[in-house]
Amino acid sequence: MEKTAIKKQVRAAFDHRVAVRVYNDQEIERGDMDYILDTAWLSPSSIGLEGWRFLVLDRKHVADLRDELKEIAWGAQAQLDTASHFVVLLAEKDVRYDSESIKDSLIRRGLGEGDALDSRIKLYQDFQTRDMDMADNPRALFDWTAKQTYIALGNMMTAASMIGIDSCPIEGFNYDKANAILAKHGLINPDKEGITSMVSFGYRLRDPKHPRSRKARQDVIVWAD
Ligand SMILES: Cc1cc2nc3c(=O)[nH]c(=O)nc-3n(C[C@H](O)[C@H](O)[C@H](O)COP(=O)(O)O)c2cc1C
């Protein structure tokens, strides 16, 4: 396809995407969910860490969790009632420069032996201590891996919109309680990971009542002189 046509198609997907809270009964096909999830899987992460997991809940699983989650998720009331699928984005905890996860990521990238390994770990030690001041702060380490999941979140929502599937990103819930619910159901390991956000997917019941609101483009996009 020609560049102009691709740009038009991508822009149309961005124009079509709005936060959709109420969905109709149509189920998203498995192949379409897999296409969306591939864009999370293939998303970039800092130092190639991939310190994340994406937990997929279909309607049946959402139904099992609905009552418990609705109690603690003010931002997901209608989505929990109507969405075809939920994806819960999880970030790894305690990914220090000397952790197994960092070592595994280096092995995956062919940097797992000898001097290459040692020099990379030293680089990441400097990065996490001198540059980011996070190596000894579990909350800061979690926030670092959590930030990266938002790249996957954006990619999934754009990919979905490209094929006419609607979505809503969700942060409106009590984190401790949501983690506890998923842990109780055996869906996450709270010692190793925590929820960063969720996203609902489905087909909109109706178009939004209000026009999209955005700051003026020139106030946000600034070209250096
Ligand atoms: C990180 C993030 C968290 C959000 N959390 C919620 C939420 O909990 N519940 C909800 O209904 N909408 C949520 N939204 C949707 C925003 O309210 C919405 O994206 C914003 O108002 C812009 O509208 P638009 O997405 O329709 O363009 C969230 C959006 C983002 C990016």
Side-chain angles (χ1 to χ4, degrees), residues 22 42 69 111 152 192 225:
V22 185
L42 296 172
L69 286 179
L111 300 163
K192 294 208 161 135
D225 292 329

Side-chain angles (χ1 to χ4, degrees), residues 36-37 39-40 54 87 89 152-161 199 201:
I36 291 168
L37 292 161
T39 70
F54 306 99
V87 176
L89 292 90
L153 174 67
N155 286 339
M156 284 193 284
M157 293 193 296
T158 300
S161 191
V199 51
F201 291 105

Side-chain angles (χ1 to χ4, degrees), residues 19-173:
V20 170
R21 282 116 190 166
V22 185
Y23 302 89
N24 67 24
D25 289 341
Q26 190 180 343
E27 212 67 37
I28 299 173
E29 286 174 19
R30 176 60 189 254
D32 289 347
M33 274 314 290
D34 282 334
Y35 148 82
I36 291 168
L37 292 161
D38 278 352
T39 70
W41 169 49
L42 296 172
S43 290
S45 56
S46 181
I47 66 167
L49 176 68
E50 301 173 70
W52 52 34
R53 294 201 310 146
F54 306 99
L55 170 67
V56 188
L57 305 172
D58 62 16
R59 255 192 233 280
K60 184 187 147 301
H61 290 107
V62 172
D64 290 344
L65 298 165
R66 181 172 295 129
D67 291 346
E68 285 174 275
L69 286 179
K70 279 184 81 172
E71 288 255 316
I72 55 99
W74 58 268
Q77 297 291 303
Q79 299 92 320
L80 283 166
D81 279 334
T82 59
S84 169
H85 290 74
F86 262 69
V87 176
V88 182
L89 292 90
L90 303 165
E92 218 176 307
K93 294 179 176 172
D94 299 321
V95 188
R96 253 173 67 114
Y97 58 85
D98 50 1
S99 65
E100 279 304 306
S101 290
I102 295 250
K103 200 171 165 198
D104 288 348
S105 77
L106 289 169
I107 292 168
R108 256 195 330 272
R109 294 160 63 207
L111 300 163
E113 278 173 43
D115 287 350
L117 178 69
D118 294 342
S119 67
R120 281 289 166 151
I121 288 180
K122 174 77 179 68
L123 178 69
Y124 299 159
Q125 179 177 9
D126 288 346
F127 169 58
Q128 288 195 342
T129 51
R130 182 196 62 204
D131 300 337
M132 300 279 275
D133 192 18
M134 66 183 173
D136 297 311
N137 179 342
R139 175 64 199 246
L141 281 175
F142 180 72
D143 286 347
W144 175 58
T145 46
K147 278 190 286 189
Q148 297 168 45
T149 68
Y150 284 76
I151 301 169
L153 174 67
N155 286 339
M156 284 193 284
M157 293 193 296
T158 300
S161 191
M162 297 278 306
I163 58 167
I165 291 174
D166 294 304
S167 62
C168 183
I170 297 165
E171 279 186 331
F173 55 90

